[in-house]
Amino acid sequence: MLTDAVAEHRITPAVNHGKWKPRGLETEAPGVGWKGASTMISRKSPCIELARICCLVLVSGCGSEPTAHVRAAASPLSATTGVCYTVQGLGPVYFEGVDLQTLGLGPQGAVVGTRGYGDERRGFVFENGTPSPVGDLGGGLSDVRAVNARGLAVGGSKTADGMYRAASFYKGAAAELGALEPDGSSWSMDVNDLGLAVGTASKGGTAHAVAFRRGQVIDLGTIPTGGDTYANGVNDAGDIVGVGLVDADNGVWQAFLIPAGRPMQKIGTIDGAGTSSRAYKVNSAGVVCGAADAPGGYHGFLYRDGTMTDLGALEPPEGESPWSMCMDVSDTGIAVGVTLGNDWWWHPFVWSSAEGIIDLNTRILDASPDLILFYASNINSVGQITVYGVDTTTWENQGVLLSPVTCP
């Protein structure tokens, strides 16, 4: 079972065995442990503790890097200069750790996440200026990770008999999505606009990638080495991205892409440096967002059709290697994520091909002077961004929705 490590925010690999629960699901204080957390970052071994997986196709092998393929509506990588952002506060939220990107964002600006409601941990949907808690599966705990254009949200919940199961949430009501074993656990981390939910499920002591579709739990298997395998994102075409454990002894994880209807294919590192890579999201054009070993550091990347773009990083502290992670990419190729600054704090970034990597804190027009933003989680098709911040008067983690405007 995964241990509760939210308050530590360490980035350490962990293996799921049998009945596991997503990391941090029993921590009640929404603001626990962010202050100073950036000093605990290990840039070489980000944790992959919470399963996030899915697809309509079965994993049938793992080739080398993906080959080029034709898309009917592929959008070129593009960016807009001179963009600033207004701030809408979402209130206190749980921050699960750098590798878990839990503040989801829908195409119309609906935000989902998890926060404390009294003594209970509840998922919420934030629309029209109001956060509304969702239901649960009988165990008094719920957790929401993503929402699609139709308002269908996914995540997980605790059942009345103490199991942790993947769940969907529609108009606040929770419905179980199932598992691979009667006494096994599951969780969902993403859903596309066609209703394909994606996540993970335990099987024989190992985390398997799964898809949840029309009442079925589809086992997508594991990476060819047989290690824990997680899919983190799915687009409407059915392309899946994620990560698998390829060397448990040395904690090596490798990113993969499953193009719709095709076998799993590996995504390598930046310029062949090191061995580790991870993939988190894929946009409608098939552009993959992730992070990988890079010459002299660990950087966020964008990947498409065999070409990897290094997103770089902010200047690190003296004596440290540059570090960044891409957590999401919009359909126009704007990337968001987190990077380590020379002040030892995490900084949220937005990246464009025109401007490169930009600290989002430098583009905010109306934020409170007590609010520091530290992690950009998701971006939608209109350029809105969900970001975690910290209120320096209370040290509580705060959810923030940024909306793009022209810089004055």
Side-chain angles (χ1 to χ4, degrees):
M1 180 179 290
L2 296 182
T3 57
D4 181 2
V6 165
E8 298 180 7
H9 291 179
R10 289 193 179 97
I11 311 172
T12 53
V15 179
N16 301 309
H17 295 289
K19 293 183 179 180
W20 53 267
K21 70 175 184 294
R23 171 170 129 173
L25 287 185
E26 293 177 354
T27 296
E28 297 299 340
V32 168
W34 187 85
K35 184 178 180 181
S38 60
T39 61
M40 299 179 182
I41 293 173
S42 167
R43 290 165 304 284
K44 293 297 184 180
S45 58
C47 74
I48 311 293
E49 292 189 348
L50 180 59
R52 303 182 294 240
I53 316 162
C54 65
C55 183
L56 287 173
V57 298
L58 294 179
V59 177
S60 57
C62 190
S64 57
E65 302 215 347
T67 54
H69 55 283
V70 177
R71 294 186 173 276
S75 301
L77 294 180
S78 61
T80 302
T81 60
V83 175
C84 289
Y85 297 89
T86 60
V87 174
Q88 181 179 9
L90 307 176
V93 294
Y94 285 96
F95 178 68
E96 309 291 4
V98 71
D99 201 44
L100 300 181
Q101 57 170 13
T102 56
L103 203 58
L105 178 62
Q108 281 80 44
V111 179
V112 297
T114 305
R115 64 195 306 168
Y117 286 89
D119 293 334
E120 293 188 330
R121 177 191 174 100
R122 290 276 181 183
F124 69 87
V125 177
F126 190 99
E127 289 184 289
N128 303 318
T130 303
S132 300
V134 301
D136 64 83
L137 298 178
L141 177 151
S142 60
D143 180 71
V144 187
R145 301 283 168 161
V147 61
N148 69 11
R150 301 179 182 182
L152 178 68
V154 296
S157 180
K158 191 176 182 179
T159 66
D161 58 358
M163 299 302 301
Y164 291 88
R165 289 290 171 85
S168 64
F169 305 91
Y170 187 68
K171 296 184 177 179
E176 185 176 335
L177 296 178
L180 292 177
E181 299 175 323
D183 63 346
S185 300
S186 61
W187 216 254
S188 181
M189 286 300 296
D190 202 6
V191 62
N192 67 16
D193 288 342
L194 303 179
L196 174 66
V198 302
T200 191
S202 59
K203 184 177 181 180
T206 301
H208 282 227
V210 295
F212 304 100
R213 184 170 182 265
R214 297 178 181 175
Q216 294 182 315
V217 183
I218 304 169
D219 185 0
L220 305 177
T222 64
I223 205 162
T225 59
D228 290 342
T229 305
Y230 306 94
N232 300 324
V234 59
N235 64 14
D236 288 344
D239 299 329
I240 313 302
V241 295
V243 65
L245 182 62
V246 296
D247 183 350
D249 292 338
N250 295 300
V252 177
W253 300 82
Q254 191 161 55
F256 65 78
L257 164 69
I258 307 174
R262 297 175 62 187
M264 178 188 292
Q265 299 171 333
K266 296 178 182 178
I267 297 175
T269 62
I270 298 172
D271 292 335
T275 57
S276 293
S277 60
R278 291 153 183 83
Y280 297 105
K281 289 293 182 69
V282 55
N283 72 7
S284 63
V287 178
V288 179
C289 161
D293 286 335
Y298 189 85
H299 291 180
F301 68 77
L302 294 181
Y303 175 93
R304 183 173 64 183
D305 295 338
T307 299
M308 184 172 286
T309 300
D310 184 352
L311 303 187
L314 294 184
E315 180 183 353
E318 185 177 356
E320 293 296 313
S321 301
W323 177 90
S324 66
M325 297 176 71
C326 178
M327 305 313 297
D328 197 12
V329 58
S330 72
D331 289 343
T332 57
I334 308 299
V336 297
V338 60
T339 181
L340 181 65
N342 61 13
D343 53 3
W344 281 104
W345 288 60
W346 295 345
H347 293 250
F349 75 77
V350 59
W351 178 95
S352 70
S353 59
E355 293 189 293
I357 193 167
I358 300 293
D359 182 352
L360 273 168
N361 283 293
T362 68
R363 294 294 179 92
I364 305 306
L365 296 182
D366 55 359
S368 163
D370 298 322
L371 179 66
I372 297 176
L373 306 181
F374 66 90
Y375 178 102
S377 178
N378 283 274
I379 182 170
N380 65 14
S381 56
V382 298
Q384 292 176 304
I385 303 170
T386 48
V387 182
Y388 289 93
V390 62
D391 182 343
T392 57
T393 64
T394 64
W395 293 107
E396 282 190 329
N397 295 324
Q398 302 287 318
V400 173
L401 176 63
L402 303 181
S403 296
V405 295
T406 302
C407 292

